[in-house]
Amino acid sequence: MKISNSGNLLFIGFMGVGKSTLAKELAKECGSVCLDTDKIIENMESKKIKKIFESKGEEYFRELEQKVAFWLEKNVRNSIISTGGGFIAVKNLKKIGKIIYLKSSFEGIIKRLENSPKAKEKLAKRPLLQDKKKAKELFKKRSDIYEKLADIIINIEKYKNEKDIIKELVKYH
Ligand code: S3P
């Protein structure tokens, strides 16, 4: 599989691991531009992800992810991109940019979400996190795929705080 030389950094990882937050912080730190595939899709549809799942279904959402993936590959350079947890299913992921997998245990992710000041909101907006048992199954199924696709793996549980993660991420920009 061809690894992209687009200059993009692409964050992958399970829901709630902190991809969007870290991508935004890293972009700020590096004076770069940050894109978020979920936000792009919400703009395309003028609807929140939750509503897209409710009205059009998951398959439709996955088609939009693929459309965005082709667009990113063709048009976006030197940017920091955060993706939805299932974006890894797109055909051209490796062609979009260097892939950074933000890794954490499932328990670590749940703790991170529950400790967030916006915990309720963060849980409510994620249709595939509503049933914890199913979410854990999905986590198990996806973990190997994330590892295989990653160019770089950052185990976020090894770091004291967000600032230290950013310090590490800056090295890859
Ligand atoms: C999904 C993750 C979500 C969002 C959608 C589906 C998934 O993004 O794309 O709810 O399949 O894992 P986050 O990873 O930002 O929660």
Side-chain angles (χ1 to χ4, degrees), residues 13-20 36-38 41 49-50 53 58 61-62 65 82-87 122 125-129 138 142 146:
F14 202 67
M15 288 172 268
V17 76
K19 295 168 299 231
S20 308
D36 181 318
T37 60
D38 279 347
I41 289 171
I49 302 289
K50 185 172 179 262
F53 268 70
E58 181 172 348
F61 174 75
R62 300 299 172 199
E65 287 192 311
S82 69
T83 63
F87 195 78
K122 286 190 171 180
K125 73 174 190 178
R126 294 182 159 101
L128 302 180
L129 256 192
L138 190 60
R142 282 191 184 156
Y146 291 133

Side-chain angles (χ1 to χ4, degrees), residues 100-117:
I100 301 189
Y101 169 31
L102 299 177
K103 182 177 173 173
S104 163
S105 65
F106 185 74
E107 290 67 29
I109 286 173
I110 298 300
K111 217 197 268 165
R112 184 180 176 275
L113 279 172
E114 285 175 352
N115 288 340
S116 156

Side-chain angles (χ1 to χ4, degrees), residues 6 8-12 19 23 33-37 40 68 72-73 76-83 87 96-98 100:
S6 61
N8 295 321
L9 280 187
L10 196 71
F11 283 2
I12 64 166
K19 295 168 299 231
V33 166
C34 174
L35 294 169
D36 181 318
T37 60
I40 296 172
V68 170
L72 290 169
E73 179 192 345
V76 176
R77 302 290 175 267
N78 306 317
S79 300
I80 295 165
I81 305 164
S82 69
T83 63
F87 195 78
I96 301 172
K98 193 192 281 177
I100 301 189

